[in-house]
Amino acid sequence: MDRGLTIVFALRVAGLCAAAWPCLAAAQSGVPDFSGSWTRKWETASTYDAPPSGPGPVMVDPAHPHHGHRTGVADQPDLESTPWIADYNNPILKPEAREVVKRITEQEAAGHPHVEHQTLCMPSGVPEILNLRDDMEMLFSPGGNEITMVYWRDNQVRHVYLNVPHSKDPPKTWYGESVGHYENDMLVIDTIGLNDKTDTDRFGTPHSDQIHVVERYRLADDKKSLEVLFTVDDPKFFTTAWSGRADYRRDNRPLRELVCAENNQPLAMGDQPPIPTAAKPDF
Amino acid sequence: MVTVFNFTTPYSPPCTERHAMVPNKLVRLALIVGVALLTATGADAQRAGGGRGKQEAPAATPGGPIYTPPSPAMNISGVWWTQSYSPKIEVVGGGDLPFSEKGKSQYASNMAALKDGSLKDEARRLCVPDGLPRILGNPYPFQLIQTPGRVTFVYELNHVIRPVPLDKPQQSAEELEVAPYYSGHSVAHWNGETLVIETTGFNEKTFIDATGAPHSDSMTTVELVKKLDDKTLEDVITVTDPMMFTKPWSARFVYDLHPEVRLEDYVCGEKHRDISMVKGVVPK
């Protein structure tokens, strides 16, 4: 069918549905309920878990496991945190990406921590936003045309437009352009149009503005977990498309106001990172 | 090649439930055909959208736990954009803010300090939230999202979020004191087709407006939000703060619906969308 006619016909159908306004909402009530707040569960905090099969993300080098600072925990010895040592020999990395991760890892080992964008009060981008420690919520707009994803950390927001195509040439932005659809009870979010200013993960793995991320969300059978599998493709920095897992567990705490710029404190290493500041106001 | 995932636990889509509540066959057919056409065009564009792998065509199955407002007048969801901006808040009925002696003194002090630079407007410099009522008049679009039991304000400016639970009691004074918010803590209920939002638990780090008008952390506000017509929304806020004002006062904000607008990223210090067309805006 001619594309113009397709759109016209689709709009007419949409108009028919609009006349019986509640119908769309009613039709959508049978799909899984992703609403409420969710918090990440992971094997190593702030990193992706391995996918069930196939090429996986850069992870902690098994020879140098990471643990955070621990003190005052009953029956547990106090621990100083260890540096994040990445497995930069992961074959997904092209040489130029491996060099970046290797350099950052060596700096970590030398006592100079890699500062994540979230610590700098900057957007985390996609997929790294999946690694935020604070809760995430999905807000479903009436009409069913959008899901707004709110992350407590600095109240970062992503907008996912449902059942629409990507723009022909979307501008490069921090969270890119996300479109979504359902495949049965699975929500699929497809994101392009990301800028190249964020990292792919907490190890500083770079990506270009050609990165393409597909996230798949589904409720676990017990409805208490949100299973998330995602695929990353970026020919500039990766030898192949790879996948990772970023599951959440249901939390249901009320959404909080978390303002990063308010609580930006000097890091343990004594460095005060710059936070986004406007030299002059917009208006 | 983009991986097609196999989740570790099997599942069966609840197909029998999916269209159970569609009211009649005609509407159901229209819905299925319409979504199929829309998703078909989406698949075309996605195939051209980049990435090495083949992209799967979206299935003709919309979804989500969608809230249906009881009436069109109570459907306030959407992207709204103020009709005008004023750096100095405009009081309903005209005149100046009814400052108390303390308020008057604090306002003079704020204005002088903003002028000599000893006080910063952190909402513009560090992009922390504007707080109420200042954010109601900001010249960037914002989104209202109605979900079961809640209305959420999502502002483009400074990516501010205001969750407003419906028909819930306000938190205790002790809880509010522990965690005062820039945007306060809000609860709301519907009075007819007007959404009544009551907010307390503010911090005292924000200004009433861009001129530096002060408020205390004892401020409380009541907003009456209602549609004036299908495409226009009104928010009348009444501010009570005996520490800074001699009596409650109100301000009115009117917004136009902009379904064609998508909220954009907002990072402090970057170039943002053009707002020069908003009446009253003087770009700096």
Side-chain angles (χ1 to χ4, degrees):
Chain A
M1 183 184 289
D2 173 81
R3 185 180 177 84
L5 286 174
T6 302
I7 293 172
V8 168
F9 186 42
L11 289 173
R12 287 182 178 178
V13 172
L16 177 62
C17 198
W21 188 62
C23 74
L24 189 59
Q28 294 167 337
S29 62
V31 301
D33 187 356
F34 297 133
S35 60
S37 58
W38 301 89
T39 191
R40 271 297 308 277
K41 57 179 186 179
W42 32 36
E43 293 178 13
T44 301
S46 80
T47 66
Y48 309 120
D49 291 330
S53 63
V58 175
M59 299 174 75
V60 170
D61 183 347
H64 300 88
H66 173 82
H67 60 75
H69 180 76
R70 184 177 70 200
T71 182
V73 179
D75 303 324
Q76 299 282 333
D78 290 353
L79 288 175
E80 290 298 323
S81 62
T82 55
W84 291 93
I85 305 299
D87 177 13
Y88 49 76
N89 290 316
N90 186 321
I92 67 166
L93 297 175
K94 280 191 168 180
E96 50 269 52
R98 181 179 301 116
E99 282 307 305
V100 172
V101 181
K102 182 171 183 286
R103 173 175 49 80
I104 290 173
T105 299
E106 289 170 348
Q107 290 172 341
E108 277 267 352
H112 303 287
H114 173 62
V115 181
E116 296 175 88
H117 279 246
Q118 59 157 315
T119 306
L120 299 171
C121 304
M122 295 292 287
S124 297
V126 182
E128 173 63 351
I129 200 162
L130 295 171
N131 275 334
L132 296 182
R133 290 169 184 257
D134 299 306
D135 284 16
M136 175 274 289
E137 272 196 51
M138 291 188 192
L139 305 176
F140 295 79
S141 293
N145 61 340
E146 184 182 347
I147 299 173
T148 305
M149 302 179 76
V150 179
Y151 298 82
W152 288 14
R153 176 67 181 174
D154 203 19
N155 291 160
Q156 296 188 53
V157 177
R158 296 172 62 193
H159 301 275
V160 180
Y161 300 95
L162 295 175
N163 302 315
V164 295
H166 274 303
S167 305
K168 187 177 179 184
D169 187 18
K172 307 301 183 188
T173 60
W174 292 93
Y175 303 104
E177 181 186 76
S178 295
V179 298
H181 66 272
Y182 284 87
E183 293 177 1
N184 297 317
D185 61 353
M186 185 188 298
L187 171 65
V188 181
I189 300 175
D190 188 294
T191 302
I192 60 173
L194 289 152
N195 68 29
D196 59 2
K197 299 177 183 176
T198 62
D199 299 331
T200 308
D201 56 36
R202 74 100 47 239
F203 303 107
T205 303
H207 67 78
S208 77
D209 61 8
Q210 296 305 303
I211 188 173
H212 176 196
V213 182
V214 179
E215 300 154 83
R216 294 168 186 270
Y217 294 77
R218 58 156 292 205
L219 282 177
D221 291 340
D222 65 2
K223 313 297 184 192
K224 294 178 180 176
S225 294
L226 190 57
E227 298 177 343
V228 183
L229 280 162
F230 64 95
T231 295
V232 174
D233 197 6
D234 183 350
K236 183 173 180 183
F237 286 108
F238 301 119
T239 58
T240 181
W242 55 272
S243 304
R245 188 142 182 172
D247 291 358
Y248 292 81
R249 63 176 166 79
R250 197 177 279 284
D251 190 341
N252 281 341
R253 286 179 294 174
L255 178 61
R256 296 174 58 196
E257 179 184 88
L258 281 180
V259 181
C260 182
E262 175 186 44
N263 294 315
N264 198 262
Q265 300 295 321
L267 295 178
M269 300 306 296
D271 301 322
Q272 173 70 55
I275 61 173
T277 304
K280 66 184 180 92
D282 292 347
F283 59 97
Chain B
M1 186 75 174
V2 171
T3 305
V4 176
F5 292 112
N6 293 309
F7 283 96
T8 53
T9 51
Y11 74 100
S12 300
C15 298
T16 53
E17 299 174 13
R18 191 158 302 112
H19 299 296
M21 295 178 66
V22 178
N24 60 58
K25 289 181 179 177
L26 177 61
V27 169
R28 188 185 310 172
L29 176 64
L31 181 66
I32 294 169
V33 172
V35 170
L37 288 169
L38 287 170
T39 53
T41 59
D44 290 341
Q46 284 193 349
R47 276 190 286 275
R52 274 172 284 182
K54 176 190 175 194
Q55 300 200 21
E56 298 86 348
T61 309
I66 311 299
Y67 175 69
T68 303
S71 71
M74 296 168 75
N75 179 13
I76 58 174
S77 293
V79 174
W80 301 95
W81 206 336
T82 188
Q83 291 184 345
S84 63
Y85 168 75
S86 173
K88 184 178 175 66
I89 200 161
E90 296 172 349
V91 178
V92 171
D96 295 327
L97 290 169
F99 283 118
S100 64
E101 286 303 313
K102 178 176 175 55
K104 201 177 297 180
S105 167
Q106 185 69 54
Y107 190 27
S109 171
N110 285 357
M111 285 193 293
L114 285 169
K115 189 174 182 182
D116 69 21
S118 57
L119 177 66
K120 305 291 186 186
D121 182 357
E122 303 294 34
R124 297 287 78 78
R125 190 177 77 93
L126 295 178
C127 301
V128 297
D130 284 50
L132 289 177
R134 186 179 180 186
I135 199 159
L136 301 182
N138 90 81
Y140 284 88
F142 68 97
Q143 188 171 8
L144 281 178
I145 305 167
Q146 292 166 278
T147 50
R150 201 170 92 191
V151 177
T152 305
F153 290 71
V154 178
Y155 290 95
E156 180 168 298
L157 178 69
N158 299 348
H159 47 95
V160 169
I161 307 293
R162 283 183 67 199
V164 182
L166 295 173
D167 303 319
K168 296 277 177 63
Q170 183 56 276
Q171 298 177 62
S172 69
E174 291 75 16
E175 289 172 311
L176 294 171
E177 189 172 348
V178 168
Y181 284 174
Y182 288 86
S183 300
H185 294 259
S186 299
V187 292
H189 65 275
W190 286 96
N191 180 12
E193 295 179 332
T194 299
L195 182 67
V196 181
I197 307 175
E198 300 172 81
T199 307
T200 185
F202 294 97
N203 68 32
E204 52 187 356
K205 300 177 180 178
T206 65
F207 300 134
I208 293 288
D209 62 16
T211 68
H215 69 81
S216 76
D217 58 6
S218 299
M219 178 175 73
T220 61
T221 64
V222 178
E223 291 165 78
L224 304 180
V225 181
K226 68 177 181 182
K227 271 182 156 176
L228 300 179
D229 56 46
D230 286 349
K231 299 176 179 176
T232 316
L233 187 75
E234 176 190 74
D235 188 338
V236 177
I237 185 169
T238 298
V239 174
T240 302
D241 183 353
M243 190 172 291
M244 294 294 175
F245 305 108
T246 57
K247 60 181 180 181
W249 54 271
S250 300
R252 178 175 181 263
F253 303 90
V254 181
Y255 312 101
D256 292 327
L257 186 63
H258 282 270
E260 80 288 0
V261 170
R262 291 180 172 185
L263 295 197
E264 297 180 356
D265 301 344
Y266 194 99
V267 176
C268 210
E270 293 193 339
K271 180 175 172 55
H272 303 118
R273 77 163 73 233
D274 181 15
I275 54 170
S276 61
M277 77 294 287
V278 177
K279 181 184 173 187
V281 166
V282 180
K284 295 185 177 178

